[in-house]
Amino acid sequence: MSTTIAARPLSSRVRISPAGDLRVVASALGLLGWIVTVIGSWIPSFWGDEAASVMSAERPLSTLWPELGRVDAVHGTYYLFLHFWIDLFGASELSVRFPSTVAVGFVVAGTVVLGDLLFRRRVAVFAGIVCIVLPRVDYMGAEGRSYAIGTAMAVWLTVLFVTLVRRRTRTALPWLAYGLVLAASVYVFLYLVLLAVVHGIVLLASRRSRPLLRPWFVAVVGAVVLASPVIYYATVERHQISFLAHRHYLTFERLAVLQWFGNPWMAAAGWALVIVAVVALARRRSAALVLTVSWLLVPMLLLLLGNELLSPMYTIRYLSFCAPAVALLVAVGVSTIGRDWVRLGVLALLVALVIPTDVFQRSPYAKDDGSDWRQLAEVVAANAHAGDDVVFDNTPTASRKPRLALRLYPQDFARLTDVTLRTPYFRRAGLWDAVSSVAEVGASLTPTVWDVELSTSPTHVNLLELQRLGYTVTKELPVHRTVVYELTKANP
């Protein structure tokens, strides 16, 4: 037995201010979302993108601007925020990821409010629950990047948009607020400009809403003008993600499974419920269908098109801001199924399906296919002695180089000499340190050298060079994806 979803038309003049009990429900689910997200957020080791966040934030501000003029301008606002955050609370995994966990609480609360505006209270509550457990939301909530904050801004910007459309607002001031929030969102994450395209599609799809196209368009143009500096630098620095073209990111598994749902069983259930929702809403010709489906698909299609015609644009994390649309559609799908006990059973099944993925995402090696920098730092600290040298495998891609462990966990390397360091990153207009090879510093090496190698490197260049210089491996300490070697050389 199926039931019909009562979707509220965007153009109706119904009371749209959240009632007191909705505020309570949204706040309660938002708080629950934060609690679920923050639990275990400190367990996974940092990985390459988070290294970029922490190292950029820890720079003196005078050296951050030259960096942003060369790379990562699109993350500049987040780095600036994180600079002051780390000054206050330090650079541990819990501290760096904590703002993202809080942002997830706002994502969940905003999804509940939006669900109540577009549909009914039951759908809103279901959407909040789905949003809490959705693996993409869980992942971005435990990451020191701007995606969770950007998603929170996206959902509340959409709440504002729906509110303006519902009230048929044409006056300048509310749309000015919309434009300012949109501009701020673009500074937090560039691709949030695509949300304006989604909103424009919604206005075009409804004849009664088309008179609002003019104030909306003026607001969007104003937002683009305000955000033009970051848009300009993003265009200039687009080579920074050119590596995506060579990593085969566009696979069915990434698009259909990993993008939102984390594992094949959850993906099958999630997509089935999305299809059920689309069919149910299409029967009512609901404007809510246009909003949610456009939000889910249009940014993805535009990035994939740009990927083919312009330059690499797509990776899973870039579409995180569309997660509320997924939660809403899944919730609508659940709400169309049978009786209340059946709906609750489906929700319980969804939670059960995501538990393995969400638990894995809180495991020590969950990031970037097994990042283990904290663990290797602990191994070095437990075995090395004051005055020893340390060298790092320099052959992996920049974001996977083991020497980033030294920057993220400096206390564990404090007693050692970073003998190959030539120019520290904070004195360069770039993200990473400039280093010499082991061959270049061979004459200055101490009798004991610790060599940190990525276990999957095709050749262990440092290890071979140290052995050529007369060093012998005395310890081999596997970590996870790295190996720590102790090499010693008899005094001449």
Side-chain angles (χ1 to χ4, degrees):
M1 177 181 175
S2 64
T3 60
T4 302
I5 292 298
R8 297 174 176 173
L10 295 187
S11 57
S12 65
R13 286 183 176 272
V14 300
R15 180 176 57 88
I16 54 87
S17 298
D21 58 337
L22 175 61
R23 295 190 185 98
V24 172
V25 170
S27 299
L29 285 172
L31 179 62
L32 179 62
W34 169 72
I35 292 171
V36 170
T37 304
V38 78
I39 293 174
S41 60
W42 59 87
I43 294 175
S45 171
F46 281 128
W47 71 289
D49 279 18
E50 290 181 305
S53 294
V54 173
M55 293 166 65
S56 298
E58 290 186 326
R59 285 173 173 266
L61 287 180
S62 60
T63 70
L64 178 59
W65 311 124
E67 176 200 328
L68 299 179
R70 183 177 177 183
V71 295
D72 266 5
V74 294
H75 300 296
T77 302
Y78 177 70
Y79 291 167
L80 186 62
F81 158 76
L82 201 59
H83 175 88
F84 296 104
W85 179 268
I86 288 176
D87 277 351
L88 292 173
F89 303 108
S92 68
E93 286 96 344
L94 176 59
S95 171
V96 171
R97 293 167 180 163
F98 191 83
S100 294
T101 69
V102 174
V104 164
F106 282 95
V107 171
V108 173
T111 302
V112 173
V113 172
L114 188 58
D116 192 73
L117 286 172
L118 296 176
F119 305 104
R120 290 293 184 266
R121 185 65 48 83
R122 182 177 63 201
V123 174
V125 172
F126 287 174
I129 295 170
V130 173
C131 194
I132 290 171
V133 302
L134 199 65
R136 175 53 41 200
V137 175
D138 178 76
Y139 186 93
M140 67 182 171
E143 186 166 51
R145 298 295 274 176
S146 64
Y147 303 116
I149 298 172
T151 303
M153 298 185 76
V155 70
W156 284 102
L157 178 66
T158 303
V159 168
L160 174 59
F161 169 76
V162 171
T163 300
L164 295 179
V165 175
R166 279 283 188 84
R167 291 175 174 171
R168 302 179 196 171
T169 302
R170 297 192 191 185
T171 53
L173 192 59
W175 285 104
L176 174 62
Y178 172 89
L180 290 175
V181 176
L182 176 60
S185 301
V186 175
Y187 274 97
V188 171
F189 183 60
L190 177 70
Y191 288 165
L192 285 174
V193 71
L194 300 178
L195 195 59
V197 179
V198 173
H199 295 168
I201 291 172
V202 171
L203 294 178
L204 285 170
S206 171
R207 181 178 300 176
R208 296 182 67 181
S209 299
R210 287 174 193 167
L212 300 178
L213 277 169
R214 181 174 180 179
W216 166 84
F217 181 76
V218 172
V220 171
V221 170
V224 170
V225 171
L226 289 175
S228 58
V230 72
I231 295 172
Y232 167 77
Y233 279 106
T235 304
V236 171
E237 297 172 5
R238 65 185 182 278
H239 65 278
Q240 190 178 343
I241 57 173
S242 60
F243 66 89
L244 294 175
H246 310 294
R247 290 198 179 178
H248 309 292
Y249 269 88
L250 292 180
T251 64
F252 176 81
E253 182 184 25
R254 287 181 178 275
L255 288 170
V257 179
L258 300 180
Q259 178 68 64
W260 308 116
F261 302 113
N263 65 71
W265 292 107
M266 178 59 185
W271 283 116
L273 289 167
V274 168
I275 291 170
V276 169
V278 170
V279 172
L281 293 174
R283 289 174 179 172
R284 296 182 60 83
R285 299 180 181 179
S286 167
L289 172 67
V290 178
L291 174 60
T292 51
V293 172
S294 297
W295 192 356
L296 172 62
L297 295 180
V298 169
M300 179 187 297
L301 293 174
L302 290 175
L303 290 191
L304 295 181
L305 183 64
N307 220 64
E308 295 298 318
L309 301 180
L310 301 174
S311 64
M313 291 184 176
Y314 170 79
T315 188
I316 288 174
R317 297 180 303 281
Y318 294 171
L319 290 172
S320 295
F321 70 93
C322 301
V326 179
L328 286 165
L329 285 169
V330 171
V332 170
V334 173
S335 296
T336 63
I337 299 174
R339 300 179 182 274
D340 288 344
W341 67 268
V342 177
R343 299 180 192 117
L344 293 176
V346 172
L347 273 180
L349 176 62
L350 293 178
V351 172
L353 290 175
V354 301
I355 284 176
T357 298
D358 287 351
V359 169
F360 170 77
Q361 290 181 167
R362 293 300 184 273
S363 62
Y365 308 115
K367 300 289 187 180
D368 195 27
D369 297 325
S371 180
D372 59 358
W373 291 336
R374 183 177 70 244
Q375 293 80 8
L376 81 84
E378 292 169 350
V379 167
V380 170
N383 289 274
H385 299 91
D388 292 349
D389 287 340
V390 61
V391 299
F392 300 91
D393 184 358
N394 202 41
T395 58
T397 57
S399 63
R400 285 198 174 190
K401 290 182 177 178
R403 74 170 292 107
L404 294 178
L406 180 149
R407 293 304 183 187
L408 294 168
Y409 308 98
Q411 68 279 2
D412 291 320
F413 296 88
R415 299 183 300 166
L416 306 180
T417 302
D418 182 11
V419 67
T420 59
L421 178 64
R422 188 167 67 242
T423 308
Y425 73 95
F426 51 81
R427 294 179 182 168
R428 304 181 67 235
L431 285 172
W432 318 117
D433 294 323
V435 298
S436 302
S437 67
V438 169
E440 291 173 305
V441 300
S444 62
L445 293 172
T446 61
T448 300
V449 178
W450 294 87
D451 178 25
V452 183
E453 298 278 348
L454 195 68
S455 59
T456 56
S457 292
T459 59
H460 296 317
V461 176
N462 289 347
L463 194 61
L464 295 174
E465 180 61 26
L466 288 167
Q467 290 173 330
R468 188 189 69 79
L469 293 171
Y471 286 84
T472 302
V473 175
T474 53
K475 283 185 182 179
E476 180 178 338
L477 305 170
V479 183
H480 184 67
R481 75 177 184 191
T482 54
V483 182
V484 179
Y485 296 95
E486 180 190 39
L487 297 100
T488 60
K489 180 179 181 182
N491 291 323

